[in-house]
Structure formats: structure tokens, C-alpha cells
Amino acid sequence: MSSMSHSPQTICVLGCAGFIGSHLLARLLAHEHYMVLGIDREKNKIADLIGNPRFNFFNDDIKNESLVEWCIQRSDAVVSLTAICNPALYTQKPTEVIESNFLHPYKIAQICARHKKWLVQFSTSEVYGRTISSFANDATGKTPDRPSSVEANSDYILSEEKTPFILGPVATQRWSYACAKQLLERAVFALGFEEGLAFTIVRPFNFIGARMDYIPGIDGEGTPRVLACFMEALLKKKPLKLVDGGKNRRVFTYIEDAIDAVMAMLANPSAAKGQIFNIGNPTNEATVAELAALMIDCHKQLAPENSSYNYRTEDVSAAQFYGAGYEDSDRRMPDIAKAQKVLGWSPKTNLPETMRLTMMDYLKQYAHAA
Ligand code: UGA
């Protein structure tokens, strides 16, 4: 691996005020080594970082191509994070989802290729789609078999180089997001092949932590991702809704562990360039029902003043919760051997600790709002 002294100095972070962007920005600015040029149309999540002398912030949209190009030209590496990544919108606003996850970031990739700049493109664990095992089980019409360990069925382990992508039919618009991200990955790869674009693709597996999404009715509207949905329920003393009984599994990855991986990439360009990395914590797997139970337990400990609260979950169908056109990934279990070997990275934070740290922050942030 190359040393820090060979790594880029000026990082352009597109979407620097989002969930991942705000954590990456804080970490970059903690190192004297890095200068940041950041663009975001929001700024609430980075209020304490605006004014840092090594941070040049542009409160604008990444559709402002001349600004994007200006920043890219002055950077050593570009981290492209902007995306609509909220499943409730995949079925409600699919054209916006496709534009946000393919059209706009593709233009950014073209600018990077033109100016010979290294692009670190965020993709998604969702490119793997329904997973090969759920597909096989659907074909037999049987309820999917759920092995208790990863080793029990290696079809479940998603590998960057080997696993095929399986998306549902076109009318099942849930897959509009995954399909757009997949095309973006292929376009970035193609720009590397045809024009020599230096790229790294990151596939995040359910990063969670402080500042993820919003609480509906408090600082946003609509249906956020599962962590914020459950936090809303806990804050407002409502039942936690389990879509299809909460049977699907995710690996919930602590955001600071995930940022460690991105920092390792930026510090080791020669190792990271040309690679696609799964970034997730395989030991943090839980069903959504298990996540709800863990969050309820954690809330009892962190907010004992709610002891009279009747904590409960409620089963809802996917059609009730998301409307028509929704379909789920049953299980997303990453193979992280490449990130471990190439970047020397491993996630460190277990699921109970991830929840404790995340919920402490949410409870502090929304203490006076609920
Ligand atoms: C998300 C998004 O597609 C992307 O933001 C992202 O790329 C990816 O995951 C990721 O974070 O890696 P998904 O995991 O399905 O997809 O999103 P969540 O909204 O967090 O849902 C997780 C599971 O919880 C799903 O099975 C969903 O049906 C369920 N859920 C969600 C509930 O049971 N109750 C709720 O209130 C909300």
C-alpha cells in the first residue's frame, strides 16, 4: 500500500451534506492533510463544519455543471455521493430516482474522465437485487430457506466479481434504483475502459448512524429508511411497523466503520483504483424484526423515563406500506475479503454498539422535537 504522503490532497465531495457526506467531511477535515471542495443543496448536517479554513462549501445543486467542473478541475479525487436512496421513492418518483442515480452522476463521471481525475463513485448493495437464492426459491414456489449461518449457503454471499445481478420485472419499480445504479457502475467501468478514467466503486451495505435520513413531521416528510422509521415510532410512541413481518435481513454497518474504509481508499489510491468494493459488516446481520426488538431494548435503556410506554410492533404488508411496485431483497450478505485484503480494512462495531451509539445521537438530536 502507498503511504499517506502519496494520497490526494484536495478532495471534491459531491453531496457533502448528506448522511455519508457529512461523516466523510468531518473525518477529512480532522486531517490537516486534506482540503475539501464540497457541493450540496442542503447544509443542516454540516453546520458546524462550514467555516473550517480547509473546507470550501458551495451551497448549490450538482446539476450546476460548470460549478461541478470547476471543483473537479481543482481536486485530486472526487467522491460522488448524491443520490435519491430512499425505497419509498423508488415506486413513487421513479424518473427522479433514475435521473438522480444515473443521469446526473454519469455526467460527473464524464467530467472526471475529461479532466483525468480519480472518481470514487458510491453505488449500492442493492445492485445485487433479489439475490440468487431468493430467485431459486421463488421458482420452486417454496418459502425461502433461511440458513442460520452464512457458511450454510454460500449463494447468499455477494461477491463483487462473481455474483450475478437479479432484478425484478420492469413494472416492479422498486428496481428502478438498483437498475440505475447498475447502469452507472457499468458506465463508469466503460469510461475506465475507453477513456482511462481512474475509478473506485463503493457498494454500501446499509450504513447506519447519526444524521441518517430525517424524522417525518419533524425535519422531513415521507417515509425514510428503516432506522428513521423505527426512531420516529419510538419518539412518537407509536408501533414499529414490520413490513411483511420484518422477515428480510440486512447487515447494518456502523457509519464510522464505513468511513474508515473510504479513508483507507483515499490514502491508498494505487490499491483502490480500478476496484469495486463491498463495504459492509457481515457479522451485524439481523432480520428487520430483530432490529426492531434491539431498538426497543436499547430505547428502554437509553430513555428509562418512558417506562410506561407500551412498546409494540405491528405487521404490515409491503403493498400497504410502500404501495404497488415494491419488492424486497431478502438477504444481502457481503463478501468483504477484497476490502480486507486490498485496503487492510475491517468493520469493528457490533450491532448492539452500533444501535447504542446511533440511538444516543438521535435521542439527543430530537430531545425537544418529538
Ligand atoms: C436501502 C436503499 O435502497 C438504499 O438506500 C441503500 O442503497 C441500501 O438500502 C443500503 O442502505 O445499503 P433497504 O435496505 O431495503 O434499501 O432500505 P430500508 O428502508 O432501510 O429497509 C430495510 C428493510 O426494512 C426492508 O425490508 C423494509 O421493507 C423494512 N422496513 C422499512 C420495515 O419493516 N419497516 C419500516 O418502517 C421501514
Side-chain angles (χ1 to χ4, degrees):
M1 269 183 221
S2 59
S3 71
M4 185 73 133
S5 60
H6 297 123
S7 59
Q9 311 251 312
T10 300
I11 312 294
C12 174
V13 184
L14 302 173
C16 63
F19 166 50
I20 299 172
S22 66
H23 286 271
L24 176 62
L25 184 63
R27 198 74 80 77
L28 287 169
L29 294 176
H31 282 268
E32 298 235 321
H33 179 74
Y34 290 115
M35 308 274 297
V36 179
L37 293 172
I39 304 180
D40 205 302
R41 58 187 182 193
E42 306 290 338
K43 56 183 176 185
N44 290 349
K45 294 179 183 180
I46 56 165
D48 56 334
L49 299 171
I50 293 173
N52 183 304
R54 284 181 290 107
F55 178 37
N56 203 345
F57 177 54
F58 300 91
N59 194 195
D60 207 331
D61 201 294
I62 51 105
K63 287 180 209 153
N64 181 344
E65 273 181 52
S66 56
L67 172 64
V68 168
E69 184 154 19
W70 188 91
C71 290
I72 288 175
Q73 278 178 295
R74 284 157 183 78
S75 302
D76 299 292
V78 178
V79 182
S80 182
L81 286 157
T82 57
I84 294 178
C85 52
N86 182 334
L89 296 174
Y90 306 167
T91 50
Q92 290 163 16
K93 297 191 170 175
T95 54
E96 269 186 53
V97 167
I98 291 165
E99 286 176 10
S100 146
N101 288 289
F102 174 68
L103 203 58
H104 305 311
Y106 178 51
K107 287 182 184 162
I108 291 164
Q110 287 176 309
I111 297 172
C112 289
R114 199 154 62 236
H115 294 288
K116 306 272 174 240
K117 300 295 179 173
W118 176 25
L119 172 65
V120 178
Q121 176 63 57
F122 270 68
S123 179
T124 175
S125 58
E126 211 161 305
V127 287
Y128 295 107
R130 297 170 66 183
T131 73
I132 199 162
S133 47
S134 69
F135 189 77
N137 282 318
D138 277 4
T140 64
K142 287 185 192 153
T143 309
D145 199 19
R146 286 171 199 283
S148 57
S149 71
V150 178
E151 294 72 29
N153 183 348
S154 62
D155 279 353
Y156 273 98
I157 305 175
L158 304 172
S159 149
E160 295 98 332
E161 268 77 42
K162 292 189 211 136
T163 304
F165 299 161
I166 302 173
L167 305 184
V170 168
T172 308
Q173 297 201 90
R174 159 62 190 253
W175 304 112
S176 55
Y177 168 77
C179 189
K181 284 285 201 199
Q182 185 191 141
L183 184 56
L184 177 63
E185 285 198 20
R186 290 185 190 278
V188 165
F189 194 92
L191 285 171
F193 178 73
E194 289 184 17
E195 297 183 28
L197 171 69
F199 69 85
T200 301
I201 290 171
V202 183
R203 293 184 184 152
F205 282 68
N206 290 78
F207 296 174
I208 60 173
R211 305 193 288 280
M212 186 175 184
D213 295 340
Y214 57 87
I215 300 294
I218 298 177
D219 54 357
E221 293 304 332
T223 305
R225 284 171 289 184
V226 67
L227 173 79
C229 286
F230 287 174
M231 279 311 308
E232 183 203 6
L234 292 168
L235 289 167
K236 296 184 181 170
K237 302 186 169 50
K238 297 195 300 191
L240 283 65
K241 291 189 178 172
L242 300 180
V243 174
D244 291 338
K247 65 182 180 177
N248 293 305
R249 296 175 181 216
R250 299 289 187 269
V251 297
F252 295 99
T253 306
Y254 188 45
I255 185 69
E256 296 301 342
D257 285 343
I259 298 298
D260 285 344
V262 184
M263 295 300 284
M265 291 171 207
L266 293 174
N268 296 286
S270 57
K273 283 180 184 174
Q275 300 290 351
I276 300 174
F277 292 109
N278 285 338
I279 299 298
N281 189 337
T283 60
N284 278 5
E285 187 178 51
T287 64
V288 174
E290 287 164 351
L291 178 78
L294 183 62
M295 289 182 67
I296 287 173
D297 276 352
C298 202
H299 196 250
K300 285 180 184 166
Q301 285 168 27
L302 294 174
E305 67 278 12
N306 292 300
S307 57
S308 60
Y309 168 22
N310 174 23
Y311 288 96
R312 62 202 191 283
T313 58
E314 178 184 297
D315 286 357
V316 290
S317 71
Q320 276 173 300
F321 194 80
Y322 290 109
Y326 181 80
E327 195 171 72
D328 218 328
S329 301
D330 65 334
R331 189 176 196 190
R332 300 182 189 152
M333 173 55 68
D335 177 352
I336 58 164
K338 197 209 288 190
Q340 287 175 314
K341 188 164 170 245
V342 174
L343 303 172
W345 170 83
S346 279
K348 297 183 181 71
T349 317
N350 67 25
L351 190 53
E353 183 63 359
T354 296
M355 279 332 306
R356 193 184 68 78
L357 293 167
T358 302
M359 287 181 66
M360 266 178 11
D361 195 276
Y362 266 84
L363 292 174
K364 196 168 136 208
Q365 188 187 343
Y366 294 101
H368 305 292

